[in-house]
Each structure stands twice: as structure tokens, then as C-alpha cells.
């Protein structure tokens, strides 16, 4: 529920308070300024009347007017005089007085007020008798005293008293008029003030709502820019801020999604926690590495108390921990590092889990490969050196021995050449630098040609050679030279590792959409522990006959099959023989 606008109330209260304060200050100002002004006006009014009355009394004292005439004159005017009149002779005796106004203003109290006035007036006798005019505020009266002069002599005194209640009444009426006017102005201006305050407060309220919506993530709200002046400029600035924030947030959201997709797509597992130990990000690779676990809390994700102690240590100390962890069949490289905020305080910890099992295996293979190549190269080179040094030193004199040494050197040279060629062939296949061109050819032509060449070699070693072509010759889609090279490698191995009296067979069968070519022998076979490694470089199952080949033949056959997109596999039983089979894609065409 939205709160009512307090700004509108404040504006209205401010305006009303301003008008009220203005009225109050005007009243105070008028009270102090008009009070003296009214007294001055009353004094100016009383002085001529005092002089006129002094002339009448002087006529009476000179005998030009009788007392009856004087009283009659007073009686005729007392109804219209709005002041008290007291006339005294020089001895201070009251000659005549008029207190008609007291009857109107004070009613039953006029006698008491009149009696109280006589002592007050006596205080000014000496001043008036000395020839001075007196103007004074005394009690409820404004008093004006005037001497009666005759031939530069004072023959009496006239005192006029104006009740100050009239002054107060006039001032009060003026103040009431001011307050009534102020109230009227306030009432007249109430609606315009409300409209003006609303005109100011409404756009600010609307901009406040827009700002709250922006804070809550809704950047589509727009402030009204139709207002003029600074309010319109403020609305425009707010809309500009909203647009810029929207662009910035959109860019940050895009980067966040990119980062999240990148992290989620990594093969390495990532776990991030905040400074309270709560998970902030977990990518799918973590679950792939550690699987489902039955523990509770963080142990359900990574069931290793030792690792979580490392997390806590990094969070507390701020240093990076790198360690290796053996987890089931995997070797993991774990890197745990702190995350810092903009003030360089530790805000969390991120852990990176990388499976280095394959890389370690490849590194081990690389080391073994280098060692095997070095060994295979060193053997013929050492033999060549020994033979050449013997011949160079003249230690062999007869021609027959020399020829035998030369034959040995030629054999080692050919062996070295064969090793280098195999290494180059394997490297070329693995680097994929040369494209493999495929074509359709008849499989029986290739297998038959190779069988014709290897049948005499097998018979020469005392081996039986069987060849079983397809009944109906078929066209396969592959590379003829590479297929022939695989057949040669398999037949070379079969002849090499089969004892005299055994048998070798080359057969071709159709299996659904593929042609399978098999080379079987009745040789020594392959031990079960050697079968997974038989296609590795320099791997020799028969350690006793390690000098019969380079150990790269089957690795080359495997790489050729991979480049052709085919399969090659072996079935073997120790002391019973082995069967190597590779596949060829069949395009559905037969010999014409």
C-alpha cells in the first residue's frame, strides 16, 4: 500500500503558515505603529477643542459671558463631545465639567471613574499653571491640558480626557479586519494553493514511484516530461538515467550469461562459496566428477572433509591452495583461491577441479614414446658404430668376415630406415596434414593381390596360408593404398609371430553394411593384460622377440583405420593364436 504524499501536505502547511505568519506580523506591526498614530490623531483633535473651551471660559471670566450662558453652551455641546472636559481656575477649583461620554462608555462606573480622574489631573496642575501644554497617558485616559491665558497671565486650566478604550477598540477592529481579511484570503486561496501544491507535488510523487520501480528492477517506467522548468528537466534526467541503467544492466546481464555459459561449459568442475560458506555457483562438471552422494550439506556435493577444510583455510587466511587428489579412477588437480571485493576483503572462495588423468597418461605415454624411440634408434646406431669401428681399425683382415660385417651394417641400416619411415608415417597420420582421398574399388582385387605376394613368404617359413575371398566381389569406398598397407602390417605380424607348422588365413565377409577383413594366425597369441595396449606405439607383447620389428606397425594400422573412419580390433587367446579384423564401408555396388 502506497503512503500518502507528505510533500503535498508540507507544501500546503508551508503556504498556510506563511499566510498566518504574515497576518500575525502585520497585526503586530499595525498594533505598535497605529497605536502611536491614533494617539497623535486624538491629541491633534483634542488641542483645538481645548483652545476653544479655554476661549469660552476666558469670556466667562472677563464677564462677557454669564455662567448660565457658559453652562448652556456646554449643555448644547456635551452630547456631541466625545471627551471628558474639566475646567479649573488658577486655585484648582473645578469650574465646570462634562463627563457625558463616561455614561455611554462606562455606564454605572462613570461616577467612580470621574472621581478617580480628579486626582490624576491634579498631578499636571503645576505644569499647566507654569504655561506648558500637557499631553499624557494616565490610566484609561489620554489627557490634554491647556492653560487659559489673558494678557500673558494664566487665569485657569482646561483638561480634556479621551478614554483610551476607544483607541483600543479602533485598534482591535483594525486587527480583526486584518485577521478576517487574512482568513478570507486563505479561504479564497485554499483551492488555488491546493492546485499549485498538487501541481508541484504530483510530478514529484510520480517520479518517486518511477525511482522505486527502478530500484525494484522495472526500468520500463517513464517519468512525465511534459512539465515545464526544473521539474520537466528532472523528469528528463530520471528517464535518461533509467535508459542508461537499462543499457548497463542489459550489458551486465549479457556478460553474466556469457560467463555462466562459459563456466557451465567447462570440463573443469567449479564450486564458488561466499564468506558465510553458502554456495553461489556450481557448474555441472562438479556433479559429473563427484557424482551423487548421500551426505548432508556441503558433503553431499564433495564428500571430502579434507577439501572443505582447505576451503575454510583459504576463506580465513586468504592464500591459494593447489593440490592433487586421487578420486576413484581419476587424478584431480584442485586449485582453491580467494575472491576479493572492491575493498580487497575476502568475499568468498572458488575451487577449480580439473581431471588430469588423461593428461598424466599422455605425459607418461610421451615419456615412454621418447624412451622407446631413443632405444630403437640407439640399437642399430650402436651396432653400426661397433661394426664400422672394427673395420676402420683394421681388426678384420679376411674378405669373408668383412663381407659378413658389411651385410650386418646393411641390415642395421635397413632396420634404421624402416624405423624412421614408420615414425614418419605414424606422425603424418596423427598430424592430419594430408587429406585422405577415398574411391570405390573391388575388395577382392586388393586382398587377392596381397594374398599372392604373402603366400610364398608363408610357405617359405613352413606355414599354411589360406585365403577366403567374397563369393560375390563388392565395391567398397575407401583408400586402396592405405587398406593394402593395413593388410601388409597384419600379415607381416602374423608370419613373424607364428611358428613353423602353423597356419595363417586371410578372409573377407559381408556383415550388413560393412565388409570385414580378417587376418588370423595360430601363433603364440596375446596375453589378456596386453590386449588393451596392443595398438600403442612401441608396445610389444612378445618381449622375447622385441628385435623383430619396430613396434609401430599395429599403431600405424590403428591410425589408418581412424583416418578412414573404420574400426580395427583383435581377438586372441594365449598359445592359440590371434585374429585381427578391420572394417570397410560398403556402398552397395557389386562387380559388373
Amino acid at each position: 500500500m502506497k503512503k500518502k504524499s507528505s510533500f503535498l501536505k508540507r507544501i500546503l502547511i508551508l503556504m498556510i503558515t506563511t499566510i498566518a505568519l504574515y497576518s500575525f506580523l502585520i497585526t503586530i506591526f499595525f498594533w505598535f505603529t497605529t497605536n502611536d498614530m491614533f494617539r497623535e490623531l486624538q491629541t491633534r483633535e483634542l488641542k483645538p477643542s481645548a483652545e476653544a473651551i479655554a476661549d469660552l471660559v476666558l469670556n466667562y471670566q472677563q464677564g462677557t459671558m454669564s455662567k448660565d450662558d457658559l453652562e448652556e453652551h456646554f449643555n448644547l455641546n456635551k452630547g456631541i463631545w466625545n471627551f471628558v472636559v474639566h475646567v479649573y481656575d488658577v486655585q484648582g477649583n473645578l469650574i465646570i465639567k462634562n463627563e457625558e461620554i463616561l455614561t455611554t462608555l462606562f455606564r454605572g462606573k462613570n461616577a467612580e471613574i470621574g472621581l478617580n480622574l480628579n486626582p490624576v489631573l491634579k498631578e499636571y496642575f503645576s505644569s499647566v499653571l507654569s504655561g506648558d501644554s500637557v499631553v499624557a497617558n494616565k490610566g484609561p485616559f489620554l489627557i490634554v491640558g491647556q492653560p487659559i491665558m489673558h494678557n500673558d497671565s494664566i487665569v485657569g486650566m482646561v483638561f480634556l480626557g479621551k478614554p483610551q478604550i476607544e483607541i483600543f477598540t479602533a485598534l482591535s477592529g483594525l486587527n480583526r479586519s486584518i485577521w478576517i481579511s487574512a482568513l478570507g484570503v486563505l479561504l479564497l486561496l485554499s483551492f488555488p494553493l491546493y492546485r499549485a501544491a498538487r501541481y508541484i507535488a504530483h510530478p514529484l510523487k510520480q517520479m518517486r514511484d518511477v525511482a522505486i520501480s527502478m530500484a525494484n528492477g522495472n526500468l520500463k517506467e517513464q517519468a512525465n516530461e511534459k512539465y515545464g522548468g526544473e521539474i520537466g528537466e528532472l523528469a528528463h534526467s530520471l528517464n535518461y538515467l533509467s535508459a542508461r541503467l537499462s543499457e548497463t544492466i542489459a550489458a551486465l546481464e549479457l556478460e553474466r550469461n556469457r560467463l555462466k555459459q562459459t563456466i557451465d561449459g567447462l570440463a573443469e568442475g567449479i564450486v564458488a562459496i561466499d564468506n558465510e560458506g553458502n554456495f553461489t555457483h556450481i557448474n555441472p562438471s562438479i556433479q559429473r566428477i563427484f557424482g551423487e552422494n548421500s551426505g548432508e550439506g556441503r558433503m553431499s556435493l564433495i564428500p571430502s572433509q579434507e577439501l572443505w577444510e582447505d576451503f575454510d583455510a583459504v576463506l580465513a587466511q586468504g592464500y591459494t591452495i593447489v593440490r592433487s587428489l586421487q578420486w576413484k579412477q581419476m587424478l584431480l588437480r584442485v586449485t582453491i583461491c580467494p575472491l576479493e571485493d572492491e575493498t580487497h576483503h575476502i568475499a568468498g572462495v572458488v575451487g577449480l577441479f580439473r581431471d588430469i588423468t588423461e593428461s598424466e597418461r599422455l605425459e607418461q605415454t610421451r615419456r615412454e614414446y621418447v624412451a622407446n624411440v631413443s632405444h630403437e634408434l640407439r640399437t642399430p646406431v650402436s651396432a653400426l658404430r661397433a661394426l664400422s669401428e672394427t673395420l676402420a681399425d683394421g681388426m678384420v683382415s679376411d674378405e669373408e668376415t668383412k663381407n659378413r660385417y658389411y651385410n650386418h651394417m646393411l641390415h642395421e641400416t635397413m632396420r634404421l630406415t624402416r624405423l624412421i619411415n614408420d615414425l614418419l608415417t605414424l606422425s603424418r597420420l596423427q598430424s592430419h596434414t594430408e587429406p585422405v582421398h577415398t574411391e570405390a574399388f573391388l575388395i577382392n582385387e586388393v586382398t587377392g593381390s596381397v594374398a599372392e605376394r604373402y603366400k610364398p613368404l608363408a610357405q617359405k617359413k613352413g606355414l599354411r596360408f589360406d585365403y577366403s575371398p567374397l563369393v560375390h566381389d563388392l565395391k567398397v569406398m575407401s583408400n586402396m593404398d592405405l587398406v593394402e598397407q593395413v593388410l601388409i602390417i597384419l600379415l607381416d605380424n602374423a608370419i613373424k609371430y607364428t611358428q613353423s607348422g602353423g597356419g595363417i588365413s586371410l578372409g573377407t565377409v559381408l556383415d550388413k553394411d560393412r565388409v570385414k577383413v580378417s587376418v588370423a594366425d595360430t601363433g603364440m597369441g596375446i596375453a589378456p593384460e596386453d590386449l588393451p595396449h596392443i595398438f600403442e606405439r612401441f608396445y610389444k607383447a612378445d618381449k622375447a622377440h622385441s628385435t623383430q620389428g619396430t613396434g609401430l606397425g599395429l599403431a600405424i594400422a590403428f591410425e589408418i583405420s581412424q583416418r578412414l573412419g573404420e574400426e580395427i580390433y583383435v581377438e586372441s587367446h594365449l598359445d592359440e593364436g590371434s585374429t585381427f579384423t578391420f572394417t570397410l564401408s560398403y556402398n552397395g555396388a557389386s562387380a559388373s
Side-chain angles (χ1 to χ4, degrees):
M1 182 178 181
K2 292 185 178 179
K3 295 172 63 178
K4 290 186 176 180
S5 175
S6 60
F7 187 71
L8 178 61
K9 291 181 181 178
R10 290 176 181 176
I11 293 178
L12 289 174
I13 292 172
L14 177 62
M15 291 181 174
I16 293 171
T17 304
T18 301
I19 294 174
L21 183 60
Y22 172 78
S23 302
F24 176 75
L25 292 177
I26 287 294
T27 302
I28 297 298
F29 174 76
F30 271 93
W31 180 265
F32 285 103
T33 57
T34 58
N35 192 12
D36 294 335
M37 182 182 68
F38 267 88
R39 287 188 175 89
E40 181 66 25
L41 290 174
Q42 293 296 330
T43 302
R44 291 179 182 180
E45 180 185 348
L46 292 175
K47 279 187 175 183
S49 298
E51 292 174 355
I53 293 172
D55 290 339
L56 288 174
V57 174
L58 181 60
N59 290 334
Y60 162 71
Q61 288 179 340
Q62 291 178 349
T64 59
M65 180 183 290
S66 64
K67 188 172 183 180
D68 292 335
D69 292 336
L70 180 62
E71 290 180 355
E72 182 180 358
H73 187 79
F74 266 76
N75 290 332
L76 289 174
N77 292 288
K78 66 181 181 180
I80 61 174
W81 288 343
N82 59 345
F83 46 80
V84 176
V85 180
H86 281 215
V87 180
Y88 298 90
D89 58 17
V90 292
Q91 286 79 28
N93 298 318
L94 181 62
I95 300 173
I96 193 168
K97 67 176 179 178
N98 177 23
E99 296 181 347
E100 187 69 24
I101 192 172
L102 300 179
T103 305
T104 305
L105 294 176
F106 301 103
R107 303 205 179 266
K109 298 180 181 180
N110 60 333
E112 181 181 350
I113 293 175
L115 293 175
N116 293 334
L117 184 59
N118 287 327
V120 172
L121 295 178
K122 289 180 180 181
E123 296 180 7
Y124 303 103
F125 282 0
S126 58
S127 297
V128 175
L129 290 174
S130 63
D132 297 329
S133 297
V134 175
V135 178
N137 293 321
K138 198 67 175 179
F141 291 94
L142 172 63
I143 298 171
V144 174
Q146 182 71 31
I148 301 173
M149 303 293 293
H150 179 66
N151 295 331
D152 296 330
S153 298
I154 299 173
V155 296
M157 298 173 289
V158 176
F159 287 94
L160 303 182
K162 185 74 172 181
Q164 296 197 66
I165 191 171
E166 289 188 357
I167 299 175
F168 295 145
T169 302
L171 290 175
S172 299
L174 181 61
N175 290 335
R176 269 197 308 274
S177 299
I178 294 173
W179 279 105
I180 291 172
S181 299
L183 181 61
V185 170
L186 182 61
L187 292 176
L188 289 174
L189 292 179
S190 294
F191 184 71
L193 287 176
Y194 175 77
R195 291 298 300 271
R198 181 178 173 83
Y199 179 81
I200 297 173
H202 180 72
L204 296 178
K205 178 182 177 182
Q206 194 257 344
M207 282 185 272
R208 180 205 64 186
D209 295 339
V210 170
I212 292 174
S213 297
M214 290 171 56
N216 292 330
N218 182 11
L219 299 177
K220 295 181 179 180
E221 290 285 342
Q222 293 289 304
N224 191 350
E225 299 182 13
K226 295 180 180 179
Y227 299 96
E230 288 78 2
I231 293 179
E233 293 177 1
L234 178 60
H236 176 74
S237 301
L238 190 63
N239 291 338
Y240 178 73
L241 174 63
S242 176
R244 295 294 295 166
L245 280 177
S246 180
E247 294 174 3
T248 304
I249 291 174
L252 290 175
E253 186 71 17
L254 178 61
E255 292 301 321
R256 188 184 72 85
N257 291 336
R258 284 177 179 171
L259 180 60
K260 184 177 183 301
Q261 291 175 359
T262 301
I263 292 176
D264 290 346
L266 292 176
E268 292 82 359
I270 293 178
V271 175
I273 62 173
D274 58 20
N275 54 7
E276 295 181 356
N278 301 316
F279 293 116
T280 58
H281 190 84
I282 302 169
N283 73 340
S285 295
I286 280 292
Q287 296 177 344
R288 178 184 58 80
I289 293 173
F290 291 99
E292 296 292 334
N293 301 288
S294 58
E296 295 183 358
R298 58 186 188 178
M299 294 296 291
S300 63
L301 181 66
I302 303 176
S304 173
Q305 184 62 35
E306 187 178 4
L307 278 179
W308 288 119
E309 290 176 357
D310 289 342
F311 270 83
D312 295 337
V314 172
L315 189 61
Q317 304 297 329
Y319 55 81
T320 300
I321 293 179
V322 180
R323 59 178 300 175
S324 296
L325 176 68
Q326 186 69 39
W327 179 257
K328 297 181 179 178
Q329 304 299 322
M330 294 181 291
L331 180 62
L332 302 177
R333 177 65 53 81
V334 182
T335 303
I336 305 172
C337 57
L339 292 175
E340 294 183 349
D341 57 17
E342 64 277 4
T343 60
H344 301 291
H345 291 92
I346 298 176
V349 175
V350 62
L352 177 66
F353 298 81
R354 185 159 59 95
D355 184 2
I356 60 172
T357 307
E358 185 64 21
S359 61
E360 285 294 316
R361 189 187 67 80
L362 291 176
E363 178 61 23
Q364 181 64 28
T365 302
R366 185 191 66 80
R367 289 193 292 267
E368 292 177 354
Y369 178 71
V370 172
N372 289 331
V373 169
S374 301
H375 174 74
E376 294 294 337
L377 290 174
R378 185 171 62 248
T379 301
V381 169
S382 298
L384 285 172
R385 179 180 178 180
L387 292 171
S388 60
E389 286 178 350
T390 302
L391 291 173
D393 291 341
M395 298 178 65
V396 179
S397 56
D398 60 293
E399 291 298 324
E400 183 180 355
T401 304
K402 286 182 179 181
N403 289 334
R404 190 171 70 254
Y405 274 35
Y406 287 142
N407 287 332
H408 288 322
M409 293 174 67
L410 178 61
H411 176 76
E412 294 299 330
T413 303
M414 293 175 61
R415 179 183 174 190
L416 185 61
T417 301
R418 190 165 57 252
L419 174 61
I420 293 173
N421 289 336
D422 286 347
L423 286 172
L424 291 175
T425 300
L426 184 60
S427 176
R428 186 173 63 252
L429 289 171
Q430 291 178 336
S431 63
H432 299 271
T433 55
E434 296 181 2
V436 175
H437 301 286
T438 60
E439 59 181 341
F441 59 90
L442 295 172
I443 186 61
N444 281 352
E445 289 185 2
V446 177
T447 57
S449 174
V450 174
E452 287 180 5
R453 281 180 282 164
Y454 273 83
K455 185 174 182 178
L457 296 176
Q459 291 175 346
K460 183 178 180 180
K461 191 178 177 181
L463 302 175
R464 184 181 68 260
F465 189 90
D466 297 324
Y467 171 56
S468 302
L470 289 173
V471 177
H472 301 288
D473 201 359
L474 298 175
K475 285 186 177 181
V476 295
M477 185 61 66
S478 190
N479 185 288
M480 183 184 298
D481 293 335
L482 294 179
V483 170
E484 184 175 341
Q485 187 175 357
V486 173
L487 283 172
I488 291 172
I489 291 172
L490 296 180
L491 288 172
D492 276 341
N493 279 348
I495 292 174
K496 188 184 304 180
Y497 293 107
T498 303
Q499 298 296 326
S500 178
I504 297 173
S505 63
L506 171 61
T508 310
V509 296
L510 178 62
D511 183 12
K512 297 180 181 179
D513 59 344
R514 296 190 301 177
V515 174
K516 292 184 176 181
V517 181
S518 301
V519 175
D521 62 64
T522 59
M524 63 186 66
I526 304 171
E529 63 271 14
D530 294 326
L531 280 176
H533 310 286
I534 199 65
F535 293 107
E536 294 178 4
R537 292 164 293 185
F538 295 109
Y539 190 85
K540 298 177 181 179
D542 183 15
K543 306 298 190 296
H545 298 81
S546 60
T547 60
Q548 294 186 17
T550 62
L552 296 174
L554 291 179
I556 292 174
F558 179 80
E559 289 297 332
I560 290 174
S561 297
Q562 293 294 309
R563 291 295 307 277
L564 294 175
E566 304 292 351
E567 295 182 20
I568 184 170
Y569 53 90
V570 60
E571 297 177 0
S572 181
H573 299 282
L574 196 60
D575 298 328
E576 294 182 8
S578 305
T579 300
F580 288 85
T581 304
F582 65 94
T583 63
L584 295 171
S585 299
Y586 166 53
N587 67 352
S590 60
S592 59

